[in-house]
Amino acid sequence: IKQFSETFRSGSWVGATGKPLTNVVSVGIGGSFLGPLFVHTALQTDPEAAESAKGRQLRFLANVDPVDVARSIKDLDPETTLVVVVSKTFTTAETMLNARTIKEWIVSSLGPQAVSKHMIAVSTNLKLVKEFGIDPNNAFAFWDWVGGRYSVCSAVGVLPLSLQYGFPIVQRFLEGASSIDNHFRTASFEKNIPVLLGLLSVWNVSFLGYPARAILPYSQALEKLAPHIQQLSMESNGKGVSIDGVPLPYEAGEIDFGEPGTNGQHSFYQLIHQGRVIPCDFIGVIKSQQPVYLKGETVSNHDELMSNFFAQPDALASRKTPAPLRSENVSENLIPHKTFKGNRPSLSFLLSSLSAYEIGQLLAIYEHRIAVQGFIWGINSFDQWGVELGKSLASQVRKQLHASRMEGKPVEGFNPSSASLLARYLAVEPSTPYDTTVLPKV
C-alpha cells in the first residue's frame, strides 16, 4: 500500500489518457464504508492531513440507491478518477452492482481498456476480481477472518486513506490504534480503558436496564464516529443467544446513536435530561483542529464549544429539586417541568488533540470495548447472521421484479402486505427502460 500510494500520488500512475489521477471513489458498504468514512471525515480538517490532500478528492459510494451513485461521481472526470472496489468476497450484491455501474461510467467515456488503469480492488477473492476485469496485480488482500466492521486498519481503510492523505499520515493513525492494542493487552483490569468501558456498558445494559448509549463528540470532525460505532456495536453485539446457541437469560447489545455537540443539545438532549435514562459518552478535544477567536469576544469559539462539553455531564449528574426553584421565584405550575432528577450516567473522554494518532486511538478504544462486552455476555461479536435473512428475502424480490418487468408475471409467493406493496410498485412505469443502459445525469 505504501509503494502503490506513493506511485499514485507522485503522478507516476496515470490513467488511460495519460493524465494523473487525483480523484478516488471507494465503493463498499457497511464496514467497508463507515469506518474509512469516519477516519476520512476526522482527518479532513487536520491541518497536516489537509495540506497533504490538497488537489485531491476522496469520495465513498455505499448505497445501491442510484442517487448515491450520482452524488459520488458528480463533477468528477473519469479521466482523472480511480475507483477502489472494496468487497471481501467480491459477491456483496449492493457493492458489486455499484462497481458495475461505475465501471460502465468509465468504459462509456474511456473504453474497456481503461478499466485496468482506473479500477483497483481490496478483496480476498482474486478469482472474481480477475473475472470482473481488474488486474489481480492491482488487488490488495486482507485476512479472510477480518470482519468488515473491524477492517479499518486493514487495506479496506488504509488503501483509500493513503491515496488521499499519503501513507505517513495513515501510518500515524495505525500507530495510534496500535498503542491502544498494546494497552488493552498489557494493562491491569483496574487501569485498562477498554475493559472498564466494556464493564460499564454491561452494567448499564444488563443490570440497570438502560438499553441505549449516546455518543456525543464535541468536535465536528468526529461527526461520522457515531454512525460507525452504531454498526460496530449493534452488528457485533446485537445477539439473543450465546456463542453456544443458548438463549441469553439477560439483555445484551446496545442501541447506539449520536450527534456532535452542540448540535445534539438542540436535538435530543431534552429526552436525555428529563426523559429516558441514556448513558452518554462525551468526547472533547483540548486543542481544536481549526482554532478561531474574534477580538473582543469573551472566549474563543473552541472554548465556547468546550464550555458545553464540561457543563452537560454536570447537568446530567446534578439534581434540581422544587425547593431551589421556588427560591428562584419560579411559578408553581412550571416547577414540575423544571425539575431534574439527576444521577444520570455519563463518561467523558478528553483528547489532547485530534491528529491521525488520536483518531486511531479513539477507534481502537471502541473496537476493544465492544469486544469486551461480547466476551462478558458470552456471545460471538464477530458474526452477523441477523443480516442474512433480509438478504435472502431481497433475492426473492429481485427475481419477482425481473419476472414482472420482463415477462409480465403476477406477484406470487409473498405475504399479503408485501404482495400489495409490490403490486403497487409495479403498477407504475419504471423510471428507466430495461432494454438499454442508463447512467446518472450529473
Side-chain angles (χ1 to χ4, degrees), residues 42-109:
L43 286 173
Q44 277 182 309
T45 42
D46 172 68
E48 185 182 4
E51 180 66 28
S52 184
K54 267 188 177 176
R56 301 183 177 278
Q57 288 191 73
L58 172 59
R59 298 185 184 180
F60 292 87
L61 170 56
N63 199 338
V64 75
D65 185 339
V67 169
D68 205 18
V69 178
R71 288 176 175 175
S72 70
I73 61 174
K74 187 178 188 299
D75 299 326
L76 294 187
D77 184 347
E79 280 189 283
T80 55
T81 300
L82 180 73
V83 178
V84 184
V85 183
V86 184
S87 175
K88 182 161 68 172
T89 62
F90 236 61
T91 60
T92 306
E94 301 97 326
T95 297
M96 297 318 300
L97 179 54
N98 277 338
R100 292 191 295 272
T101 303
I102 296 294
K103 179 181 178 182
E104 183 63 30
W105 175 67
I106 291 169
V107 168
S108 64
S109 177

Side-chain angles (χ1 to χ4, degrees), residues 37-302:
L37 176 63
F38 150 60
V39 179
H40 171 51
T41 306
L43 286 173
Q44 277 182 309
T45 42
D46 172 68
E48 185 182 4
E51 180 66 28
S52 184
K54 267 188 177 176
R56 301 183 177 278
Q57 288 191 73
L58 172 59
R59 298 185 184 180
F60 292 87
L61 170 56
N63 199 338
V64 75
D65 185 339
V67 169
D68 205 18
V69 178
R71 288 176 175 175
S72 70
I73 61 174
K74 187 178 188 299
D75 299 326
L76 294 187
D77 184 347
E79 280 189 283
T80 55
T81 300
L82 180 73
V83 178
V84 184
V85 183
V86 184
S87 175
K88 182 161 68 172
T89 62
F90 236 61
T91 60
T92 306
E94 301 97 326
T95 297
M96 297 318 300
L97 179 54
N98 277 338
R100 292 191 295 272
T101 303
I102 296 294
K103 179 181 178 182
E104 183 63 30
W105 175 67
I106 291 169
V107 168
S108 64
S109 177
L110 304 175
Q113 77 286 349
V115 172
S116 63
K117 284 292 187 179
H118 291 264
M119 297 191 80
I120 62 176
V122 175
S123 181
T124 60
N125 194 334
L126 295 183
K127 178 176 178 292
L128 291 186
V129 167
K130 184 176 181 180
E131 290 177 5
F132 183 86
I134 294 175
D135 185 347
N137 292 320
N138 297 331
F140 296 80
F142 59 102
W143 295 279
D144 60 5
W145 46 263
V146 176
R149 57 190 176 274
Y150 292 96
S151 66
V152 186
C153 293
S154 74
V156 169
V158 172
L159 177 60
L161 293 168
S162 295
L163 297 176
Q164 177 71 1
Y165 295 105
F167 192 81
I169 284 176
V170 179
Q171 180 70 42
R172 287 198 285 281
F173 160 75
L174 293 173
E175 288 168 357
S178 180
S179 73
I180 298 298
D181 293 347
N182 291 330
H183 165 79
F184 182 46
R185 274 199 302 268
T186 60
S188 64
F189 283 175
E190 293 84 356
K191 296 181 179 180
N192 195 303
I193 294 170
V195 168
L196 294 173
L197 294 176
L199 287 167
L200 281 170
S201 288
V202 170
W203 178 253
N204 286 329
V205 172
S206 300
F207 290 83
L208 299 183
Y210 304 148
R213 173 176 63 192
I215 299 167
L216 310 171
Y218 276 67
S219 168
Q220 195 64 32
L222 296 176
E223 64 178 303
K224 296 299 182 183
L225 173 64
H228 175 50
I229 302 307
Q230 193 174 54
Q231 189 223 2
L232 184 63
S233 172
M234 295 169 76
E235 194 167 79
S236 294
N237 292 338
K239 312 290 167 59
V241 297
S242 72
I243 199 167
D244 300 315
V246 178
L248 297 176
Y250 43 77
E251 295 292 332
E254 286 174 316
I255 303 165
D256 292 274
F257 70 99
E259 180 74 18
T262 58
N263 295 358
Q265 293 174 201
H266 298 271
S267 174
F268 52 79
Y269 276 37
Q270 169 61 43
L271 184 144
I272 292 173
H273 282 291
Q274 291 184 305
R276 295 176 181 270
V277 176
I278 299 176
C280 298
D281 290 1
F282 291 97
I283 304 167
V285 182
I286 294 174
K287 290 186 176 180
S288 173
Q289 288 180 334
Q290 298 289 328
V292 172
Y293 174 68
L294 302 181
K295 186 178 179 180
E297 292 287 343
T298 305
V299 294
S300 69
N301 294 41
H302 187 65

